[in-house]
Amino acid sequence: MSDESSDGEADVELEARLEEQDAFAPPESFVEQANVTDEGIYDEFEENWPECWEGAAELLSWDEEYETVLEDDDAPFYEWFTGGTLNASYNCLDRHVEEGAKNRAAIKWEGELGETRTYTYGDLLNEVEAFAATLRDLGVEEDDVVTLYLPMIPELPIAMLACARIGAPHAVVFAGFSADALATRMNAAESEYLVTCDGYYRRGDALNHKQKADKGLRSVDHDVQSIVVDRLGDELKHFLGTDARDYHELIEEHEGASVEPVSRDAEDMLFLMYTSGTTGQPKGVKHTTGGYLAYAAWTSHAVLDVKPEDTYWCAADIGWITGHSYIVYGPLALGTTTVMYEGTPDYPEKDRLWEIVEENRVDIFYTAPMAIRAFMKWGKEYPERHDLSSLRLLGTVGEPINPRAWKWYYKHIGNEECPIVDTWWQTETGGMMITTLPGVNTMKPGSAGPPLPGIDARIVDAEGEPVDAGSAGYLTVQNPWPGMLRTLYNNDDRFLSEYWKEYSDEDADEWVYFPEDGAKLDDDGYVTVLGRVDDVINVSGHRLGTMEIESAIVGVDGVAEAAVVGGDHDIKGEAVYAYVILEDGQEPTDEMRDRIVAGVEDSIGPIARPEQVVFTPELPKTRSGKIMRRLLEDVASGNELGDTSTLRNPEIVDEIDDQVQGD
Ligand code: WT7
């Protein structure tokens, strides 16, 4: 992140005042009303672990009480709240309606073009029941995986909750992913049902989504039945083939249906979420009904300070875990009003988000550093156009936030009156793991904070020994927690080797979870997360495997070899840099470059599009033939180049560097 501000003199003054300040006490007005204010909670959880997690389970309504909080006989295949049964859709809907919240807004949806839709808890329950009845009619049975390939429209959470109601795990595929990515996931999950839509708006344009879904379906190995939501009406005509049905017709047919929520075992799968790993094959992260839901609800309560009367907005996409836990399950389990926005932050104007905050009197706002860096670049005049005084708490997630962006967010969005929670977690952890409790802890810009109560996160060296305060090392989690993934779908071996191999002592039955992040231990025990230590890069808060991108590039005709790394980027955090060797006789033309970019978009999606494609006759390799990725990263980031003397071909580094810096 450059230290240049586009924001003129006022920022200079802010800088002067805030620059010196590296610790911020929680604002008094916030503490007075916070859900959690007692710092004794840390000791309490430690002394009373794992029973401390009963408090999380108590946020839910159980059909049958659990017998054991934590079952660790078969570690690291832990089980939580064993013997308990419950239904996630009942917990997110029926019980609130039964308690008199029928007319409270559950979802407030803002379309990109300014249309709005509000679903009360009563409305939402009705449509979820109608869709649950539809799915049953279609043949969906308990434990069948239903794939949801939908953008940010209300039918997405409706479909999720309908699946949950009948005990069919959902697998949401981010709408920005390509046809190939959809097919890979449907094949891996052997999913025979798909809910998708005709299209949606992006920056005012109608995008054809069904075309992508249809193309994906052609690469699925088994028969699939689809339901298509008509989002665009006359804007984009579409035709349903023999295997597809229209969502709205089906809802009409099943209107008024009553579908009993199926009692699920606490350990039954609630959903699958595919995420990128080191190898090319995405990992199907399995989350459960009891532990996941309890953890999403508890962290929403303790960290996001959600209360039923709030209007809460997490500006993420439901296609990622953030949206699952903190747009849908956490907030709805607590009976609050959750805002959903279809579009982009700068369309039609760069004040779109602040307009939504003002119009809905949003209390809590949760976003990503990439968005905050963009707001900062656009300038404070956009938030200043709106009354943001309804805000009480701000949050950030997805990648490290630099202190400057933190302070800008604190001042220009929060008016120095809202605590900021910088929440470290992952698809696999199901919910937040390291963050301050907003009503308890002092905030330090750039540092996520201490591990949450009950979470034993430690920073260790390569041997697994805890590092001293002030040192960097590898982040580990040394005890289980309710929201943790249970396994990788159909792949217990990969689950063990990806997360439990490095630091566990199997013979002693001591299991240590390794999230593949580096971190620094601050003097006060706070954790400053440094980023991934595996071949995963974080572009705009989205996780991409470099191997996935490399195999997409090598799949392009005429390409011989490719190496993909992340390079620093002002807004995105990291951007994709592709170093490509062409086959003999192939020319490094613009046309070739376009084909490579198209290849990546086809196999993954536009988010993985390379920032730069660098043609080179060779890649820098060690004498043993290993690609020196670190050097390629330095080149991409414009860093001083490290030692090249151990290379077989040191001269190639300067050649590549000239090309990248020259562009
Ligand atoms: C990776 C997980 C958790 C939902 C969004 C991403 C990075 C996440 C932070 C943070 C520094 C962070 C880590 C992590 N990350 N939050 N507050 N500070 N880094 O989920 O796609 O599973 O990615 O995002 O590197 O491993 P994900």
Side-chain angles (χ1 to χ4, degrees):
M1 182 75 217
S2 93
D3 264 334
E4 233 59 68
S5 166
S6 61
D7 206 10
E9 283 162 31
D11 246 20
V12 175
E13 172 242 335
L14 161 74
E15 204 85 344
R17 190 156 50 84
L18 294 185
E19 196 176 7
E20 293 304 306
Q21 194 176 348
D22 52 16
F24 295 76
E28 199 67 39
S29 55
F30 180 87
V31 176
E32 277 165 16
Q33 59 77 61
N35 285 344
V36 178
T37 51
D38 181 4
E39 64 178 325
I41 189 172
Y42 289 96
D43 288 343
E44 225 175 85
F45 268 57
E46 197 176 324
E47 284 154 22
N48 192 28
W49 193 91
E51 281 73 28
C52 55
W53 289 115
E54 286 173 2
E58 273 162 26
L59 293 173
L60 305 180
S61 301
W62 296 78
D63 298 338
E64 246 169 275
E65 279 302 313
Y66 53 86
E67 286 146 23
T68 319
V69 175
L70 170 65
E71 182 65 74
D72 59 3
D73 283 355
D74 194 20
F77 296 94
Y78 295 98
E79 295 183 355
W80 285 88
F81 311 123
T82 46
T85 61
L86 76 168
N87 181 280
S89 137
Y90 177 83
N91 271 278
C92 290
L93 302 170
D94 308 57
R95 63 170 178 157
H96 306 312
V97 171
E98 287 162 13
E99 283 159 16
K102 180 163 171 263
N103 296 321
R104 185 188 304 150
I107 295 178
K108 278 187 159 186
W109 177 79
E110 294 272 344
E112 192 183 71
L113 304 184
E115 10 155 19
T116 60
R117 272 196 251 165
T118 297
Y119 291 79
T120 63
Y121 274 93
D123 299 335
L124 196 58
L125 176 57
N126 287 340
E127 191 153 330
V128 165
E129 288 197 81
F131 197 55
T134 299
L135 290 172
R136 275 231 175 109
D137 261 10
L138 212 66
V140 179
E141 289 178 9
E142 213 177 325
D143 294 318
D144 287 347
V145 176
V146 178
T147 301
L148 309 178
Y149 186 43
L150 285 168
M152 287 290 283
I153 55 177
E155 288 79 5
L156 175 51
I158 288 167
M160 290 164 76
L161 293 166
C163 287
R165 196 166 191 86
I166 60 172
H170 52 73
V172 178
V173 176
F174 174 56
F177 274 141
S178 67
D180 285 0
L182 171 68
T184 310
R185 286 158 180 74
M186 289 193 76
N187 283 328
E190 292 165 355
S191 173
E192 296 175 356
Y193 303 94
L194 173 69
V195 186
T196 185
C197 70
D198 56 345
Y200 57 103
Y201 291 106
R202 257 303 169 271
R203 295 181 194 283
D205 296 332
L207 294 192
N208 192 330
H209 190 61
K210 187 165 180 297
Q211 206 171 37
K212 265 201 315 187
D214 288 344
K215 184 171 170 226
L217 284 177
R218 288 197 285 276
S219 308
V220 174
D221 315 328
H222 49 264
D223 289 343
V224 174
Q225 298 193 60
S226 319
I227 296 175
V228 181
V229 179
D230 186 350
R231 161 77 185 105
L232 293 177
D234 291 341
E235 184 89 33
L236 186 95
K237 291 262 191 273
H238 67 277
F239 300 95
L240 298 173
T242 45
D243 298 328
R245 313 278 309 271
D246 177 74
Y247 176 91
H248 295 290
E249 273 175 23
L250 292 165
I251 290 289
E252 222 163 275
E253 262 172 46
H254 293 88
E255 194 151 351
S258 136
V259 176
E260 272 300 295
V262 170
S263 245
R264 296 278 281 168
D265 190 278
E267 281 296 308
D268 279 343
M269 172 155 63
L270 178 60
F271 65 86
L272 256 181
M273 163 119 266
Y274 282 91
T275 187
S276 294
T278 304
T279 69
Q281 194 63 20
K283 309 190 270 197
V285 171
K286 175 185 163 180
H287 282 297
T288 57
T289 311
Y292 168 84
L293 193 63
Y295 200 69
W298 187 82
T299 46
S300 297
H301 168 85
V303 181
L304 295 172
D305 201 51
V306 168
K307 299 174 172 59
E309 58 276 17
D310 284 335
T311 298
Y312 158 88
W313 184 16
C314 167
D317 194 296
I318 295 176
W320 308 102
I321 192 72
T322 309
H324 278 54
S325 302
Y326 300 113
I327 298 177
V328 182
Y329 285 114
L332 293 180
L334 296 181
T336 196
T337 300
T338 183
V339 175
M340 244 183 107
Y341 175 46
E342 178 184 38
T344 39
D346 57 347
Y347 187 87
E349 275 281 356
K350 294 190 172 69
D351 66 342
R352 183 71 174 109
L353 302 190
W354 317 126
E355 182 180 84
I356 295 174
V357 169
E358 178 171 14
E359 276 169 10
N360 293 284
R361 304 293 300 153
V362 169
D363 297 274
I364 300 163
F365 180 70
Y366 190 28
T367 190
M370 121 99 176
I372 299 166
R373 289 191 298 264
F375 304 152
M376 210 167 126
K377 188 165 170 232
W378 298 338
K380 65 181 187 330
E381 57 265 34
Y382 295 101
E384 276 174 359
R385 282 185 198 167
H386 298 278
D387 175 7
L388 306 183
S389 62
S390 59
L391 290 171
R392 178 173 93 239
L393 174 78
L394 302 174
T396 156
V397 58
E399 54 175 314
I401 180 166
N402 57 312
R404 247 179 73 74
W406 192 103
K407 289 175 185 177
W408 192 94
Y409 194 32
Y410 188 68
K411 165 77 182 161
H412 295 294
I413 308 301
N415 195 30
E416 299 181 60
E417 285 165 352
C418 304
I420 295 179
V421 285
D422 174 1
T423 59
W424 178 88
W425 57 292
Q426 309 180 297
T427 304
E428 291 87 343
T429 68
M432 301 157 176
M433 300 291 281
I434 300 177
T435 167
T436 51
L437 287 169
V440 174
N441 306 110
T442 299
M443 300 165 271
K444 291 199 315 174
S447 162
L452 277 175
I455 302 298
D456 184 7
R458 293 186 212 169
I459 300 167
V460 301
D461 61 20
E463 277 70 54
E465 293 303 317
V467 300
D468 295 331
S471 305
Y474 302 98
L475 189 55
T476 60
V477 186
Q478 312 243 351
N479 61 1
W481 64 100
M484 69 196 301
L485 80 164
R486 297 304 193 265
T487 191
L488 293 176
Y489 194 55
N490 287 338
N491 206 340
D492 290 347
D493 289 344
R494 190 168 177 199
F495 169 70
L496 291 172
S497 66
E498 291 264 358
Y499 306 107
W500 303 97
K501 195 181 60 195
E502 273 86 354
Y503 299 108
S504 300
D505 183 347
E506 212 172 316
D507 299 331
D509 201 23
E510 279 168 16
W511 297 94
V512 174
Y513 173 81
F514 182 43
E516 313 231 36
D517 269 335
K520 184 173 136 304
L521 181 64
D522 304 348
D523 294 328
D524 48 15
Y526 277 31
V527 175
T528 297
V529 179
L530 300 171
R532 304 285 305 191
V533 295
D534 56 0
D535 292 332
V536 165
I537 57 181
N538 192 326
V539 178
S540 309
H542 297 150
R543 185 162 149 186
L544 299 170
T546 51
M547 288 266 289
E548 278 173 88
I549 308 175
E550 283 166 10
S551 63
I553 295 177
V554 174
V556 173
D557 265 357
V559 172
E561 198 181 342
V564 166
V565 300
D568 294 346
H569 188 279
D570 272 3
I571 302 291
K572 299 177 187 170
E574 276 187 290
V576 175
Y577 280 76
Y579 300 87
V580 176
I581 301 177
L582 297 177
E583 282 170 359
D584 284 350
Q586 294 286 339
E587 293 299 319
T589 57
D590 284 345
E591 192 253 319
M592 178 58 98
R593 190 170 269 126
D594 293 346
R595 277 178 36 221
I596 289 170
V597 171
V600 172
E601 291 192 357
D602 282 349
S603 106
I604 303 166
I607 45 164
R609 182 205 310 252
E611 184 79 12
Q612 230 186 70
V613 176
V614 182
F615 293 112
T616 174
E618 287 172 46
L619 291 165
K621 286 188 177 163
T622 60
R623 297 220 162 82
S624 61
K626 214 174 155 264
I627 297 173
M628 284 279 276
R629 309 182 70 89
R630 189 179 41 76
L631 273 172
L632 294 174
E633 284 163 14
D634 285 340
V635 169
S637 300
N639 294 341
E640 187 100 23
L641 300 180
D643 182 20
T644 55
S645 61
T646 56
L647 292 183
R648 183 158 69 184
N649 51 354
E651 66 296 336
I652 199 68
V653 179
D654 286 330
E655 255 176 61
I656 296 176
D657 196 39
D658 285 349
Q659 222 193 110
V660 174
Q661 308 318 329
D663 262 36

